[in-house]
């Protein structure tokens, strides 16, 4: 049974989604056209109801991280509390979720050019049912990567790779040995960044299929190679991300 607080909280978030969508959609249109508007719809419950698809759970070993400095004129730093600046590129709805994520201990890295935010990337040291919906437990020593974004004019210049390197270096310095993240097979930009930031091809350890309308998730773990230890009592076989079809 839903508690009154839980119901009230969902209602408040729903009303906030409706209220913030026009402004966020307009700003997203100016940044990246129809694709940006679709991103704003997807982050809201109404858009997620009709959004199905397939996600790949990608594993990276933290001993295999290429040091990638940011492009000239760009700095990468751990995000503090400049929510107004982050809202300018993330939108009000997503920033509200980020604010909650930060309060729960998640770590954000932000890329700036001349003080202006141009990208961000998030890292979680543990999963949280309130923030994660994939339903896959993290193995011991694994950090969760999410929400990598770079504004369109700055893409394909190394900003995304520098953000990935910063958060993976942070995870390694804090005792983690690997990272997991979910990637849509058709997201070529994310797949390209993953492959560019390591010497060894990334591997897919699981697939998640999401059925629209019902929001039902089917998780398929991939079988292990002979003699390979499973990461968390679940078996995972290396499947090279670069060799997968969309």
């Amino acid at each position: 049974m839903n508690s009154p607080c839980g119901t009230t909280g969902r209602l408040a978030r729903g009303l906030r989604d409706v209220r913030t969508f026009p402004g966020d959609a307009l700003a997203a249109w100016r940044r990246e056209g129809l694709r940006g508007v679709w991103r704003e719809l997807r982050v809201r419950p109404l858009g997620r109801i009709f959004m199905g698809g397939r996600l790949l759970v990608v594993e990276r070993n933290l001993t295999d991280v290429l040091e990638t400095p940011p492009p000239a004129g760009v700095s990468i730093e751990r995000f503090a509390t400049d929510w107004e600046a982050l809202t300018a590129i993330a939108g009000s709805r997503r920033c509200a979720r980020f604010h909650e994520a930060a309060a729960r201990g998640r770590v954000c890295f932000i890329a700036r050019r001349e003080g202006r935010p141009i990208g961000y990337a998030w890292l979680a040291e543990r999963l949280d049912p309130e923030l994660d919906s994939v339903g896959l437990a993290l193995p011991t020593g694994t950090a969760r990567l999410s929400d990598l974004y770079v504004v369109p004019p700055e893409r394909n210049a190394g900003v995304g790779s520098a953000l990935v390197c910063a958060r993976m270096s942070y995870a390694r310095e804090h005792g983690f040995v690997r990272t997991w993240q979910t990637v849509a097979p058709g997201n070529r930009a994310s797949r390209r960044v993953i492959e560019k930031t390591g010497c060894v091809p990334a591997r897919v350890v699981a697939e998640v299929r999401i059925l629209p309308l019902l929001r039902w998730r089917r998780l398929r773990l991939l079988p292990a190679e002979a003699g390979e230890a499973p990461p968390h009592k679940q078996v995972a076989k290396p499947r090279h991300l670069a060799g997968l079809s969309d």
Side-chain angles (χ1 to χ4, degrees), residues 28-76:
W29 172 267
R30 290 170 177 165
R31 284 196 307 270
E32 50 189 319
L34 188 59
R35 177 176 295 183
V37 176
W38 178 237
R39 285 186 76 247
E40 291 302 325
L41 183 61
R42 287 180 60 186
V43 81
R44 290 164 165 80
L46 180 61
R48 292 198 299 266
I49 287 175
F50 301 100
M51 184 182 67
R54 173 172 160 246
L55 295 173
L56 306 175
V57 181
V58 180
E59 179 181 284
R60 291 294 303 275
N61 191 316
L62 286 175
T63 61
D64 171 45
V65 180
L66 293 175
E67 297 299 325
T68 308
V74 174
S75 63
I76 306 291

Side-chain angles (χ1 to χ4, degrees), residues 56-61 64-66 68 145-146 148 160-165 167-168 179-185 187-204 239-242 244:
L56 306 175
V57 181
V58 180
E59 179 181 284
R60 291 294 303 275
N61 191 316
D64 171 45
V65 180
L66 293 175
T68 308
L145 307 182
S146 63
L148 173 64
S161 297
L163 282 166
V164 168
C165 179
R167 65 181 179 181
M168 293 183 79
T179 61
W180 277 15
Q181 67 189 100
T182 53
V183 179
N187 190 337
R188 292 187 177 90
S190 292
R191 288 170 55 173
R192 187 163 55 247
V193 168
I194 291 171
E195 295 300 339
K196 284 171 61 178
T197 51
C199 297
V200 179
R203 67 184 208 161
V204 177
R239 267 213 306 168
H240 293 172
L241 181 65
L244 294 178

Side-chain angles (χ1 to χ4, degrees), residues 26 36 44-46 57 93 100 104 113-114 138 143 152 163 165 169 172-173 185 192 206 216 221:
L26 180 59
R44 290 164 165 80
L46 180 61
V57 181
R93 171 64 179 84
E100 182 180 1
R104 291 174 179 267
R113 183 180 291 280
E114 299 179 352
L138 287 178
L163 282 166
C165 179
S169 297
R172 184 173 56 197
E173 290 165 6
R192 187 163 55 247
W216 179 78
L221 297 169

